[in-house]
Coordinates of all heavy atoms in Angstrom, one line a residue:
R190 N 16.2 2.5 26.0 CA 14.9 2.8 26.4 C 14.1 3.7 25.4 O 13.5 4.7 25.6 CB 14.8 3.5 27.8 CG 15.3 2.8 28.9 CD 14.9 3.3 30.2 NE 13.5 3.0 30.4 CZ 12.8 3.5 31.5 NH1 13.4 3.9 32.5 NH2 11.5 3.3 31.5
C191 N 14.3 3.2 24.1 CA 13.8 3.9 23.0 C 13.8 3.0 21.8 O 14.8 2.7 21.3 CB 14.6 5.2 22.7 SG 14.1 6.0 21.2
A192 N 12.6 2.4 21.4 CA 12.5 1.5 20.3 C 13.0 2.1 19.0 O 13.5 1.5 18.0 CB 11.1 1.0 20.2
A193 N 12.8 3.4 18.8 CA 13.2 4.1 17.6 C 14.7 4.1 17.5 O 15.2 4.4 16.5 CB 12.7 5.7 17.6
E194 N 15.4 3.8 18.6 CA 16.9 3.6 18.5 C 17.3 2.2 18.4 O 18.3 1.7 17.9 CB 17.6 4.3 19.7 CG 19.1 4.1 19.8 CD 19.8 4.6 18.7 OE1 19.4 5.5 17.9 OE2 21.0 4.1 18.6
Q195 N 16.5 1.4 19.3 CA 16.9 0.0 19.5 C 16.8 -0.8 18.1 O 17.7 -1.7 18.0 CB 16.1 -0.7 20.6 CG 16.7 -1.8 21.2 CD 16.2 -2.1 22.6 OE1 15.4 -1.3 23.2 NE2 16.6 -3.2 23.2
Y196 N 15.8 -0.6 17.3 CA 15.6 -1.4 16.1 C 16.8 -1.0 15.1 O 17.4 -1.9 14.6 CB 14.3 -1.3 15.5 CG 13.3 -2.1 16.2 CD1 12.4 -1.6 17.2 CD2 13.2 -3.5 15.9 CE1 11.4 -2.4 17.8 CE2 12.3 -4.4 16.5 CZ 11.4 -3.8 17.5 OH 10.5 -4.6 18.1
P197 N 17.1 0.2 14.9 CA 18.2 0.6 14.0 C 19.5 0.1 14.5 O 20.3 -0.3 13.7 CB 18.2 2.1 14.1 CG 16.8 2.4 14.3 CD 16.2 1.4 15.2
R198 N 19.7 -0.1 15.9 CA 21.0 -0.7 16.4 C 21.1 -2.1 15.9 O 22.3 -2.5 15.7 CB 21.0 -0.6 17.9 CG 21.2 0.9 18.4 CD 21.4 0.9 20.0 NE 21.6 2.2 20.5 CZ 21.9 2.5 21.7 NH1 22.0 1.5 22.6 NH2 22.0 3.8 22.1
L199 N 20.0 -2.8 15.7 CA 20.1 -4.2 15.3 C 20.4 -4.4 13.8 O 21.0 -5.3 13.4 CB 18.8 -4.9 15.6 CG 18.5 -5.2 17.0 CD1 17.1 -5.7 17.3 CD2 19.4 -6.2 17.7
V200 N 20.1 -3.3 13.1 CA 20.4 -3.3 11.7 C 21.8 -2.7 11.3 O 22.5 -3.2 10.4 CB 19.3 -2.4 10.9 CG1 19.7 -2.3 9.5 CG2 18.0 -3.1 11.0
L201 N 22.3 -1.8 12.2 CA 23.5 -1.1 11.9 C 24.8 -1.7 12.5 O 25.8 -1.0 12.6 CB 23.4 0.3 12.3 CG 22.3 1.1 11.5 CD1 22.1 2.5 12.2 CD2 22.7 1.3 10.1
G202 N 24.6 -2.9 13.1 CA 25.8 -3.5 13.7 C 26.2 -3.1 15.1 O 27.4 -3.4 15.4
T203 N 25.4 -2.5 15.8 CA 25.7 -2.0 17.2 C 25.3 -3.1 18.2 O 26.0 -3.3 19.1 CB 24.9 -0.8 17.4 OG1 25.1 0.2 16.5 CG2 25.2 -0.2 18.8
N204 N 24.1 -3.7 18.0 CA 23.6 -4.8 18.9 C 23.3 -6.0 18.0 O 22.9 -5.9 16.9 CB 22.5 -4.4 19.7 CG 22.7 -3.3 20.7 OD1 23.9 -3.2 21.1 ND2 21.7 -2.6 21.1
D205 N 23.4 -7.2 18.6 CA 23.0 -8.4 17.9 C 21.6 -8.9 18.4 O 20.9 -9.5 17.6 CB 24.0 -9.5 18.2 CG 25.3 -9.2 17.6 OD1 25.4 -9.1 16.3 OD2 26.4 -9.2 18.2
I206 N 21.3 -8.7 19.6 CA 20.0 -9.2 20.2 C 19.4 -8.1 21.0 O 20.0 -7.4 21.7 CB 20.3 -10.4 21.0 CG1 20.9 -11.6 20.4 CG2 19.0 -10.8 21.8 CD1 20.0 -12.3 19.4
S207 N 18.1 -8.0 20.9 CA 17.3 -7.2 21.8 C 16.1 -8.0 22.3 O 15.5 -8.8 21.4 CB 16.8 -5.9 21.2 OG 17.9 -5.0 21.0
V208 N 15.7 -7.9 23.5 CA 14.6 -8.6 24.0 C 13.5 -7.6 24.6 O 13.9 -6.7 25.3 CB 14.9 -9.6 25.2 CG1 13.7 -10.3 25.7 CG2 16.0 -10.6 24.7
F209 N 12.3 -7.8 24.2 CA 11.3 -6.8 24.6 C 10.2 -7.6 25.4 O 9.7 -8.5 24.9 CB 10.6 -6.1 23.4 CG 11.6 -5.4 22.4 CD1 12.0 -6.2 21.3 CD2 12.1 -4.2 22.7 CE1 13.0 -5.6 20.5 CE2 13.0 -3.6 21.8 CZ 13.5 -4.3 20.6
N210 N 9.9 -7.1 26.5 CA 8.9 -7.8 27.4 C 7.6 -7.2 27.1 O 6.6 -7.9 27.0 CB 9.3 -7.7 28.9 CG 10.6 -8.3 29.2 OD1 11.5 -7.6 29.6 ND2 10.8 -9.6 28.9
R211 N 7.5 -5.9 27.0 CA 6.2 -5.2 26.6 C 6.2 -5.0 25.1 O 7.3 -4.5 24.6 CB 6.0 -3.9 27.4 CG 6.0 -4.1 28.9 CD 5.4 -2.8 29.6 NE 6.3 -1.7 29.4 CZ 6.0 -0.4 29.8 NH1 5.0 -0.3 30.5 NH2 6.8 0.5 29.6
T212 N 5.2 -5.3 24.5 CA 5.2 -5.2 22.9 C 4.0 -4.4 22.4 O 3.3 -4.9 21.5 CB 5.2 -6.6 22.3 OG1 4.1 -7.4 22.8 CG2 6.5 -7.4 22.9
L213 N 3.8 -3.3 23.0 CA 2.7 -2.4 22.5 C 2.9 -1.9 21.1 O 4.0 -1.7 20.6 CB 2.5 -1.2 23.4 CG 2.1 -1.6 24.9 CD1 2.3 -0.4 25.8 CD2 0.6 -2.1 24.9
P214 N 1.9 -1.8 20.3 CA 2.1 -1.7 18.9 C 2.7 -0.4 18.5 O 3.5 -0.4 17.5 CB 0.6 -1.7 18.3 CG -0.2 -1.5 19.5 CD 0.4 -2.1 20.6
W215 N 2.5 0.7 19.2 CA 3.2 1.9 18.8 C 4.7 1.9 19.1 O 5.4 2.6 18.4 CB 2.6 3.1 19.5 CG 2.3 3.0 21.0 CD1 3.2 3.0 22.0 CD2 1.1 2.6 21.6 NE1 2.7 2.7 23.2 CE2 1.3 2.4 23.0 CE3 -0.2 2.3 21.1 CZ2 0.3 2.1 23.9 CZ3 -1.2 2.0 22.0 CH2 -0.9 1.8 23.4
D216 N 5.1 1.0 19.9 CA 6.5 0.9 20.2 C 7.2 -0.1 19.1 O 8.4 0.1 18.9 CB 6.8 0.2 21.6 CG 6.6 1.2 22.7 OD1 6.8 2.4 22.4 OD2 6.2 0.8 23.8
H217 N 6.5 -1.0 18.6 CA 7.1 -2.1 17.8 C 6.7 -2.3 16.4 O 7.5 -2.9 15.6 CB 6.9 -3.4 18.6 CG 7.6 -3.4 19.9 ND1 8.9 -3.5 20.1 CD2 7.1 -3.2 21.2 CE1 9.2 -3.4 21.4 NE2 8.1 -3.2 22.1
A218 N 5.6 -1.8 16.0 CA 5.1 -2.1 14.6 C 6.1 -1.7 13.5 O 6.5 -2.4 12.7 CB 3.7 -1.4 14.4
A219 N 6.6 -0.4 13.6 CA 7.4 0.1 12.6 C 8.8 -0.6 12.7 O 9.4 -0.9 11.7 CB 7.7 1.6 12.8
G220 N 9.3 -0.8 13.9 CA 10.7 -1.4 14.1 C 10.7 -2.9 13.7 O 11.7 -3.3 13.1
V221 N 9.6 -3.7 14.0 CA 9.6 -5.1 13.5 C 9.7 -5.2 12.0 O 10.4 -5.9 11.4 CB 8.4 -5.7 14.1 CG1 8.1 -7.1 13.4 CG2 8.5 -6.0 15.6
L222 N 8.8 -4.4 11.3 CA 8.9 -4.4 9.9 C 10.3 -4.0 9.4 O 10.8 -4.6 8.4 CB 7.8 -3.5 9.4 CG 7.7 -3.5 7.8 CD1 7.3 -4.8 7.2 CD2 6.6 -2.4 7.4
F223 N 10.8 -3.0 10.0 CA 12.1 -2.4 9.4 C 13.2 -3.5 9.6 O 14.0 -3.8 8.7 CB 12.5 -1.2 10.3 CG 13.8 -0.6 9.9 CD1 14.0 0.0 8.7 CD2 14.8 -0.6 10.9 CE1 15.4 0.6 8.5 CE2 16.1 -0.2 10.6 CZ 16.4 0.5 9.4
L224 N 13.3 -4.2 10.8 CA 14.3 -5.2 11.0 C 14.1 -6.3 10.2 O 15.0 -6.9 9.5 CB 14.2 -5.6 12.5 CG 15.2 -6.7 13.0 CD1 16.7 -6.3 12.6 CD2 15.0 -7.0 14.4
N225 N 12.9 -6.9 10.0 CA 12.7 -8.0 9.1 C 12.9 -7.7 7.6 O 13.5 -8.6 6.9 CB 11.2 -8.5 9.3 CG 11.0 -9.2 10.6 OD1 12.0 -9.9 11.2 ND2 9.8 -9.2 11.2
E226 N 12.6 -6.5 7.2 CA 12.8 -6.2 5.9 C 14.3 -6.0 5.5 O 14.8 -6.1 4.4 CB 12.1 -4.9 5.4 CG 10.6 -5.2 5.2 CD 10.3 -6.0 4.0 OE1 11.0 -5.9 2.9 OE2 9.5 -7.0 4.1
A227 N 15.1 -5.7 6.6 CA 16.5 -5.5 6.5 C 17.2 -6.8 6.5 O 18.5 -6.9 6.2 CB 17.1 -4.7 7.5
G228 N 16.5 -7.9 6.7 CA 17.1 -9.3 6.8 C 17.5 -9.8 8.1 O 18.1 -10.9 8.3
G229 N 17.2 -9.0 9.2 CA 17.3 -9.5 10.5 C 16.1 -10.3 10.8 O 15.3 -10.7 9.9
K230 N 15.8 -10.5 12.1 CA 14.5 -11.2 12.5 C 14.0 -10.7 13.8 O 14.7 -10.5 14.7 CB 14.8 -12.7 12.6 CG 13.5 -13.5 12.9 CD 13.8 -15.0 12.9 CE 12.5 -15.8 13.2 NZ 12.8 -17.2 13.1
A231 N 12.7 -10.4 13.7 CA 12.0 -10.0 14.9 C 10.6 -10.9 15.0 O 10.0 -11.0 14.0 CB 11.5 -8.5 14.9
A232 N 10.5 -11.6 16.0 CA 9.3 -12.6 16.2 C 9.1 -12.9 17.7 O 10.0 -12.6 18.5 CB 9.6 -13.9 15.3
R233 N 8.0 -13.5 17.9 CA 7.7 -13.9 19.2 C 8.6 -15.1 19.6 O 9.2 -15.8 18.6 CB 6.2 -14.5 19.3 CG 5.1 -13.4 19.0 CD 5.1 -12.4 20.1 NE 4.1 -11.4 19.8 CZ 3.7 -10.3 20.6 NH1 4.4 -10.1 21.6 NH2 2.7 -9.6 20.3

Side-chain angles (χ1 to χ4, degrees):
R190 296 204 68 179
C191 175
E194 172 65 17
Q195 203 154 355
Y196 281 103
R198 287 186 182 184
L199 291 168
V200 171
L201 294 172
T203 304
N204 293 338
D205 292 302
I206 297 289
S207 288
V208 178
F209 307 95
N210 303 117
R211 297 192 303 178
T212 60
L213 294 166
W215 44 81
D216 288 326
H217 297 284
V221 164
L222 181 62
F223 177 71
L224 178 57
N225 284 331
E226 283 295 318
K230 183 174 180 178
R233 300 292 187 182

